[in-house]
Amino acid sequence: MNPQLKKGLLEFCVLATLKKEDSYGYQIIKDTSSVVEISDSTLYPILKRLEAQGEIESYRVEHNGRLRKYFHLTLAGQASIDSFLADWPAVMGIYTYIRECNND
């Protein structure tokens, strides 16, 4: 898959995962693995960017004597998901156009 296209979709996969429940990095990777491959080195910059944009928030919880950083979807993050879903028909229109041109 084109890296630029994949990059944008990964952000929405992370947001969608956090819509289900608050989670931490390793669990996010496990939860999204059935749909897309994502590594630590890819995920953590995405989480940092989403947090800087106000789409997620983080907090720490002690787990087995260590602090684990959890992430929570904000209203801004939900708005991003909603916007993505609203734009999807336009994306499918582009896909259909490219597919039809390729079949000529």
Side-chain angles (χ1 to χ4, degrees):
M1 178 183 287
N2 177 295
Q4 288 299 96
L5 179 59
K6 183 178 177 181
K7 179 183 170 190
L9 294 174
L10 285 176
E11 290 187 5
F12 291 107
C13 286
V14 169
L15 292 172
T17 298
L18 294 175
K19 180 177 175 65
K20 292 181 188 177
E21 64 182 336
D22 292 2
S23 193
Y24 54 96
Y26 179 71
Q27 188 63 49
I28 293 169
I29 290 170
K30 283 178 51 178
D31 290 343
T32 59
S33 67
S34 65
V35 180
V36 66
E37 185 179 320
I38 186 170
S39 66
D40 289 354
S41 61
T42 301
L43 176 64
Y44 287 99
I46 290 171
L47 291 169
K48 188 174 183 176
R49 185 171 44 256
L50 291 172
E51 190 168 21
Q53 293 169 188
E55 296 182 20
I56 63 173
E57 297 172 336
S58 65
Y59 59 94
R60 296 188 186 275
V61 173
E62 187 172 336
H63 177 77
N64 291 334
R66 296 177 45 193
L67 288 179
R68 179 179 280 169
K69 190 173 186 178
Y70 278 80
F71 298 92
H72 172 79
L73 183 71
T74 65
L75 291 176
Q78 180 60 55
S80 288
I81 293 172
D82 295 342
S83 178
F84 172 80
L85 293 174
D87 289 342
W88 191 249
V91 172
M92 286 306 299
I94 294 167
Y95 169 84
T96 300
Y97 173 77
I98 294 168
R99 185 174 178 165
E100 288 172 356
C101 288
N102 192 47
N103 287 333
D104 287 344

